[in-house]
Amino acid sequence: MTSSETQDVRRVLVIAHTGREAARDVAAQFCRSLHAHGILLRLLEDEADDLDLGIEGVEVVKATAEAGADCELAVVIGGDGTILRAAELARECGTPLLGVNLGHVGFLAEAESDDVDITIDAIVHRRYTAEERLTIDVSVYHDKELVASTWALNEASVEKAARERMIEVVVEVDGRPLSRWGCDGVVCATPTGSTAYNFSAGGPIVWPGVEALLLVPISAHALFARPLVVAPSSVLAVEVIARTDGSGVLWCDGRRTVELPPGARIEVRRGRVPVRLVRLHQAPFTDRLVAKFDLPVAGWRGAAERRRRSENGDGGAHRA
């Protein structure tokens, strides 16, 4: 095969929450339609049997960081948890993720399960863009030795290991101590993760286009325990106080964990490699917030102007 022929080959990785019947049905619909349009399919080894497509020429690969290599995008069918799993398989090779929501809020997803035909048409005709989302790299030290390295798209959270006991931590920003807290934990989040655990912990919602790192204490027993937004170049550090009985656990995106003994130090900095998310619509993030959280906007005076523009053919409302 020549280089020009290689460039003409279109290949899509399909990842699904195959434990759910609805996800299997939608995945099968995507696969059969994309195959009918001459697009090569790639499936994960542990999902191929569950889908049982009966389509010839399907590539089956192991669930590794190279699973998305040479794919123009990865279609991810499920909730945000499935998209976070897919990010582990597509981040290093730069494959964009197109989330099809079967969950509840589904903030990371771009399409809903009842938009399958529209979404397939957009893929076939390449009517989509990809945007880069900031990630965080996380390092864990103990006795000044690096004991673990990982990353996150949404957040890294340092949490207490025992329900009945707080964790004692000192928080540091850019090499300078900020405060000591007895708390349930500390969340270090990205703008993408600001609508996830950060949101539940009382942190601010940050628009995806803003480059920043977030730090939010969870149930801290302290006078100063406010959410912080710092520069993307900053380095956040959380140290588990050595002279206490409390130990902790590090969670990254709710998927990867590291045990944290007293004296452990966790450093969080801007990630070396971003995650690319597919966008089908250029709707403002405000509209996405309103739609996902079902926010009340009745009474907004701009609605009349928007209707007038729509009636005059000047452009209708943006889709969330």
Side-chain angles (χ1 to χ4, degrees), residues 2 33-34 54 56 68-69 103 125 136 161 173 189 209-210 230 278 282 295 310:
T2 66
S33 183
L34 294 175
E56 293 185 2
H125 294 96
I136 49 178
V173 179
V210 177
V230 303
V278 168
Q282 299 305 313
L295 301 178
S310 178

Side-chain angles (χ1 to χ4, degrees), residues 18 43-53 58-60:
T18 55
L43 300 176
L44 300 180
E45 192 174 60
D46 57 350
E47 297 179 4
D49 291 340
D50 292 335
L51 293 176
D52 191 24
L53 296 172
V58 175
E59 298 178 358
V60 178

Side-chain angles (χ1 to χ4, degrees), residues 288-304:
R288 183 175 292 268
L289 279 179
V290 170
K292 296 295 185 179
F293 288 135
D294 194 22
L295 301 178
V297 293
W300 178 54
R301 295 183 62 186

Side-chain angles (χ1 to χ4, degrees), residues 9-13 39-40 42 59 69-73:
V9 172
R10 302 187 65 190
R11 180 181 289 103
V12 169
L13 171 65
I39 297 175
L40 297 181
R42 180 178 292 176
E59 298 178 358
D70 301 323
C71 293
E72 68 177 71
L73 57 81

Side-chain angles (χ1 to χ4, degrees), residues 17 55 73 165 183 200 218 248 284:
H17 185 339
I55 296 176
L73 57 81
R165 181 175 294 153
C183 57
S200 300
I218 306 172

Side-chain angles (χ1 to χ4, degrees), residues 134-205:
L134 182 149
T135 60
I136 49 178
D137 287 340
V138 186
S139 303
V140 181
Y141 297 87
H142 190 241
D143 292 335
K144 298 183 179 180
E145 291 187 8
L146 179 66
V147 296
S149 296
T150 184
W151 69 280
L153 171 60
N154 274 349
E155 77 281 312
S157 60
V158 175
E159 303 178 32
K160 61 183 184 180
R163 181 178 180 181
E164 69 279 3
R165 181 175 294 153
M166 292 189 304
I167 186 173
E168 292 278 345
V169 301
V170 171
V171 174
E172 172 190 300
V173 179
D174 293 331
R176 302 303 302 163
L178 177 71
S179 188
R180 174 173 173 165
W181 295 323
C183 57
D184 287 349
V186 179
V187 178
C188 300
T190 67
T192 298
S194 70
T195 51
Y197 195 0
N198 167 83
F199 177 79
S200 300
I205 292 179

Side-chain angles (χ1 to χ4, degrees), residues 1-316:
M1 182 178 294
T2 66
S3 59
S4 60
E5 290 173 332
T6 302
Q7 293 174 355
D8 291 338
V9 172
R10 302 187 65 190
R11 180 181 289 103
V12 169
L13 171 65
V14 177
I15 299 172
H17 185 339
T18 55
R20 298 177 57 184
E21 182 179 358
R24 294 196 299 271
D25 291 344
V26 173
Q29 187 176 350
F30 264 96
C31 289
R32 293 193 174 98
S33 183
L34 294 175
H35 176 74
H37 284 90
I39 297 175
L40 297 181
L41 299 173
R42 180 178 292 176
L43 300 176
L44 300 180
E45 192 174 60
D46 57 350
E47 297 179 4
D49 291 340
D50 292 335
L51 293 176
D52 191 24
L53 296 172
I55 296 176
E56 293 185 2
V58 175
E59 298 178 358
V60 178
V61 299
K62 295 184 181 297
T64 68
E66 296 301 317
D70 301 323
C71 293
E72 68 177 71
L73 57 81
V75 175
V76 188
I77 301 161
D80 280 351
T82 308
I83 296 177
L84 291 172
R85 174 168 65 90
E88 298 173 354
L89 311 177
R91 176 185 179 233
E92 286 292 338
C93 49
T95 304
L97 302 175
L98 170 55
V100 180
N101 183 41
L102 290 178
H104 297 291
V105 178
F107 239 100
L108 294 174
E110 178 66 5
E112 298 296 326
S113 57
D114 54 0
D115 294 333
V116 171
D117 290 339
I118 296 173
T119 305
I120 291 173
D121 187 68
I123 295 172
V124 170
H125 294 96
R126 291 189 171 98
R127 289 196 298 268
Y128 62 84
T129 59
E131 64 182 30
E132 292 189 349
R133 293 295 184 92
L134 182 149
T135 60
I136 49 178
D137 287 340
V138 186
S139 303
V140 181
Y141 297 87
H142 190 241
D143 292 335
K144 298 183 179 180
E145 291 187 8
L146 179 66
V147 296
S149 296
T150 184
W151 69 280
L153 171 60
N154 274 349
E155 77 281 312
S157 60
V158 175
E159 303 178 32
K160 61 183 184 180
R163 181 178 180 181
E164 69 279 3
R165 181 175 294 153
M166 292 189 304
I167 186 173
E168 292 278 345
V169 301
V170 171
V171 174
E172 172 190 300
V173 179
D174 293 331
R176 302 303 302 163
L178 177 71
S179 188
R180 174 173 173 165
W181 295 323
C183 57
D184 287 349
V186 179
V187 178
C188 300
T190 67
T192 298
S194 70
T195 51
Y197 195 0
N198 167 83
F199 177 79
S200 300
I205 292 179
V206 178
W207 265 233
V210 177
E211 293 198 335
L213 301 180
L214 288 66
L215 188 147
V216 182
I218 306 172
S219 302
H221 291 249
L223 179 63
F224 179 84
R226 294 291 185 263
L228 304 175
V229 180
V230 303
S233 58
S234 289
V235 178
L236 306 176
V238 180
E239 291 191 3
V240 181
I241 299 297
R243 295 180 300 278
T244 63
D245 295 331
S247 59
V249 59
L250 168 70
W251 284 90
C252 287
D253 285 342
R255 293 186 49 79
R256 300 173 294 281
T257 65
V258 179
E259 293 185 2
L260 302 173
R265 175 183 172 87
I266 302 89
E267 294 185 356
V268 176
R269 50 178 49 83
R270 181 178 188 150
R272 174 181 55 86
V273 181
V275 166
R276 302 178 69 205
L277 296 182
V278 168
R279 287 289 168 249
L280 303 177
H281 320 288
Q282 299 305 313
F285 183 68
T286 308
D287 288 2
R288 183 175 292 268
L289 279 179
V290 170
K292 296 295 185 179
F293 288 135
D294 194 22
L295 301 178
V297 293
W300 178 54
R301 295 183 62 186
E305 174 65 15
R306 189 168 58 177
R307 284 196 299 271
R308 185 195 66 77
R309 292 180 59 195
S310 178
E311 293 168 355
N312 291 340
D314 297 330

